[in-house]
Amino acid sequence: MSKIPKSHPRYNSLMTREKIKNAMKSGIVHETGLIAHGRGEAFDYLIGESTIPPAENAEKAAAACLLLAKNPVISLNGNVVSLSAKNCISLAKEIPAKLEINLFHRSEGRIKKIIHELKKSGAEKVLGANPDAKIPGLDHNRGLCEKEGIYSADVILVPLEDGDRCNALREMGKKVIVVDLNPISRSSKNAKITIVDNLIRSIPNIERWVKTLKKQDKKDLENIVSNYDNEKMLREVLKFISKRLNSLF
Ligand code: PTJ
């Protein structure tokens, strides 16, 4: 671990880089996960590295949608586990939802390491090691999944998605919630609910909303979901970014 002084103005960001770098060295994060992280950092910079109002609304709608689900699943990849394993486990327990590993760069070695990491962080059951189903229309390894998990899920939370799978899951009639700092990615445009926030902030925010909304009637939760408009929310994010950039100088 590199020594980073707490007084450094970018201490949190540098510590996150250290975390993801070490997870890459231990085989949890794929090399290209570092590139994906860098793209995320750039967008995080644009929104001011904090949860912006449209993201907070999306997090609330996501919590309502997850609470209404019959078989909700949280899909995990290398980056997510390296940065948010404990938070995802805690959210899964609170909903409750299943956890399933789904990797773009799938190898048995990485699956084992990620399961080990999740168990070490407190997870009980983790799906994904024994895929017995395939998402139709996806030729790559992200199509592999388990019948009791992603395949039969009605709502899937995907912190960090690639556009192809988001589309394929929606084609299967599933509600896909993505966390993606890039508001113009294919996943962001195609998801039912897009949370333009860093997954490090977003997962605890969703859990906070789950705890609050649990006390509400089913009808109230349905209203939150049906009043949510993803396209409108994405336009608000773009407006927020341009206003923020215009006010900087
Ligand atoms: O672990 P694997 O094998 O499944 O591989 C995972 C990666 C990340 C390599 C793979 O899913 C990938 O290539 O992802 P993409 O297509 O680069 O998309 C990643 C998206 O996540 C980008 O739009 C980034 O802006 C966004 N992103 C990166 N870090 C964060 C993030 N969004 C929220 N929070 C982050 N911390």
Side-chain angles (χ1 to χ4, degrees):
M1 193 92 169
S2 311
K3 184 91 193 101
I4 297 164
K6 276 209 160 129
S7 57
H8 195 290
R10 299 212 43 80
Y11 178 77
N12 287 337
S13 168
L14 294 177
M15 288 306 287
T16 305
R17 283 187 178 183
E18 278 299 301
K19 229 188 212 180
I20 205 152
K21 177 196 83 180
N22 291 332
M24 194 271 284
K25 284 189 172 167
S26 67
I28 287 174
V29 167
H30 187 263
E31 288 91 327
T32 58
L34 299 190
I35 300 168
H37 181 74
R39 188 195 292 169
E41 273 190 346
F43 281 105
D44 208 9
Y45 216 86
L46 294 179
I47 60 169
E49 294 173 310
S50 64
T51 301
I52 63 175
E56 186 72 47
N57 278 339
E59 282 155 355
K60 182 180 178 185
C65 192
L66 286 160
L67 283 170
L68 287 167
K70 289 195 174 67
N71 185 19
V73 174
I74 304 179
S75 176
L76 305 167
N77 69 10
N79 287 46
V80 175
V81 170
S82 76
L83 299 180
S84 288
K86 284 201 169 126
N87 289 339
C88 287
I89 295 163
S90 177
L91 173 63
K93 283 185 181 154
E94 194 62 45
I95 296 169
K98 293 172 185 162
L99 294 167
E100 179 162 343
I101 301 170
N102 178 277
L103 300 180
F104 188 71
H105 304 282
R106 188 185 172 98
S107 73
E108 292 317 304
R110 279 189 74 213
I111 295 272
K112 272 194 192 130
K113 282 178 188 165
I114 292 175
I115 289 181
H116 179 73
E117 184 64 26
L118 285 165
K119 295 260 158 103
K120 217 174 70 187
S121 304
E124 282 151 26
K125 186 170 176 182
V126 181
L127 301 170
N130 303 301
D132 52 4
K134 234 180 151 278
I135 301 167
L138 274 189
D139 293 332
H140 52 77
N141 282 337
R142 280 205 107 167
L144 299 174
C145 61
E146 293 205 20
K147 274 189 194 139
E148 73 164 292
I150 287 172
Y151 193 78
S152 62
D154 52 346
V155 177
I156 307 181
L157 169 64
V158 197
L160 247 101
E161 176 59 316
D162 79 70
D164 285 357
R165 192 172 69 125
C166 180
N167 276 350
L169 291 170
R170 294 229 60 191
E171 288 287 317
M172 287 175 86
K174 298 177 191 302
K175 295 183 176 124
V176 183
I177 303 166
V178 302
V179 182
D180 191 342
L181 279 159
N182 177 0
I184 52 171
S185 71
R186 281 175 307 150
S187 331
S188 288
K189 288 193 265 184
N190 289 325
K192 170 152 182 75
I193 299 174
T194 304
I195 300 167
V196 185
D197 200 1
N198 196 314
L199 74 98
I200 296 171
R201 297 185 296 269
S202 180
I203 304 296
N205 286 346
I206 301 172
E207 184 171 344
R208 176 173 41 79
W209 276 116
V210 166
K211 283 182 175 149
T212 308
L213 296 178
K214 249 184 186 179
K215 298 162 206 144
Q216 298 204 6
D217 292 345
K218 195 174 168 218
K219 195 87 209 110
D220 295 336
L221 301 183
E222 283 166 354
N223 282 339
I224 293 170
V225 176
S226 61
N227 289 332
Y228 175 82
D229 178 341
N230 207 47
E231 204 180 304
K232 185 165 163 255
M233 187 284 306
L234 288 173
R235 274 199 231 106
E236 281 169 16
V237 171
L238 294 176
K239 256 190 232 152
F240 181 97
I241 293 175
S242 54
K243 208 168 155 195
R244 184 168 180 272
L245 293 183
N246 276 322
S247 69
L248 285 179
F249 298 102

